[in-house]
Amino acid sequence: MLTDLGLDALWEYRSGYEAPPDFDEFWASTLTEAREHDINVRVTPVETALRTLDVFDVTFAGFGGHPIRAWLRLPRGVEAPLPAIVQFHGYGGSRGSALQELTWASAGYAHLQVDVRGQGGVTPDPVGSGPAYPGHLTRGIESRETYVYRRIFTDAVRAVDAVRTLPGVDPARVAVLGNSQGGGIALATAGLVPDVAALHAQAPFLCDFRRAGLVGGERPYVELSRYLADHRDAVSRVFDVLSYFDGVGFAARATAPAWFSAGLMDGIVPPSTVFGAYHVYKGQKQLAVWEYNGHEAGGPDDVQAVLEGFRPILRPQWS
């Protein structure tokens, strides 16, 4: 069943989001501070049974110089500079096993799969926070300086910085992508790194918070609504904080060619929030609408379309 507006109404929908006047200044200062730390990229080979790909355990310095972990997968035996894919995972997840997510390296890309701090993987978040509803969405939401996605989005930008330092990677051909939370992080990264080459935001989370908090009936957005139900006097403050982290704001600043997708039966990310970001996206864009899909938003069929779309832009080894 539909979980949000009908398709005609979605194409007409426009978010009421407005960026705070110092949005760009806040993020410029945040990233400048992060880049005062040496990126300190460390790459360790990982033994696997794979015969066509090489896998490495990567560590780099993110927000505050904190170590962030990632997998790097490379097509074996390729010497020419490769385009790179930087991928972010879904809410509460992890970078997974070294043997998972083999698509992009198999298609001829250097593939950096980032482990989001403080979630289900191996990268801790050493920064504490005040009271939060169980989950990650409201951690540190007392202020823009302490909100958890300030650290996560900064880590994502530093992941692009890190992959560009790697031997065999063409720094001019770096794309960012992800599903759900990963799509929201990728969208934020595209808005903060003006020269990324392409973006795939599949059912992106973290967009149009005002609407999502009202119509999102499942986790993670229900974490926000339940937090506000208990902190009734904090509504204005919370949405002021979130205005610095809203995907609609990043979309209005991003210029890379972009592929969005949305499932009209998505109960996790309301489709209207995806459309809200898509409509203001500044660069060349397209939106795949999967009428009978939920949060998978086309799943592998959507990825196949993006593989084809990325090829002429990023020119992978086997294009």
Side-chain angles (χ1 to χ4, degrees), residues 3 40 49 57 93 144 154 169 208 216 296:
T3 57
N40 195 25
D57 192 353
R144 63 183 189 176
T154 302
V169 168
D208 208 356
E296 75 279 14

Side-chain angles (χ1 to χ4, degrees), residues 7 44 47 63-64 87-88 93 100 133 147 151 166 228 255 257 276 289 301 315:
L7 186 54
T44 305
E47 289 292 331
F63 179 92
Q87 181 175 7
F88 309 99
Q100 294 176 298
Y133 189 84
Y147 189 46
R151 302 189 290 280
L166 297 175
L228 293 173
T255 59
V289 177
D301 289 326
R315 307 183 310 281

Side-chain angles (χ1 to χ4, degrees), residues 13 46 75 88 103 106 112 147 151 173 185 197 203 231 234 265 284 288:
Y13 173 75
V46 176
F88 309 99
T103 298
S106 298
L112 189 74
Y147 189 46
R151 302 189 290 280
R173 291 184 289 158
I185 296 172
H231 298 80
M265 298 186 177
Q284 178 184 344

Side-chain angles (χ1 to χ4, degrees), residues 3 13 15 17 40 62 71 127 132 153 160 171 177 193 195 208 216 220 233 237 240 310:
T3 57
Y13 173 75
S15 171
Y17 167 84
N40 195 25
W71 294 126
V127 180
F153 291 169
V160 174
L177 59 82
V193 184
D195 60 348
D208 208 356
D233 60 347
R237 171 181 57 79
D240 178 65
F310 275 15

Side-chain angles (χ1 to χ4, degrees), residues 75 78 80-85 103-111 168 170 173-175 197-198 306-319:
V78 177
L82 293 172
I85 299 293
T103 298
W104 291 99
S106 298
Y109 296 89
H111 177 219
D170 181 352
R173 291 184 289 158
V174 177
V306 174
L307 280 163
E308 296 296 331
F310 275 15
R311 182 177 291 126
I313 297 170
L314 297 173
R315 307 183 310 281
Q317 180 67 19
W318 299 302
S319 61

Side-chain angles (χ1 to χ4, degrees), residues 143-198:
S143 76
R144 63 183 189 176
E145 284 77 18
T146 60
Y147 189 46
V148 65
Y149 281 100
R150 182 186 184 213
R151 302 189 290 280
I152 290 172
F153 291 169
T154 302
D155 295 342
V157 170
R158 294 296 272 162
V160 174
D161 293 346
V163 81
R164 284 175 161 167
T165 72
L166 297 175
V169 168
D170 181 352
R173 291 184 289 158
V174 177
V176 291
L177 59 82
N179 169 269
S180 191
Q181 174 187 251
I185 296 172
L187 176 57
T189 307
L192 292 170
V193 184
D195 60 348
V196 294

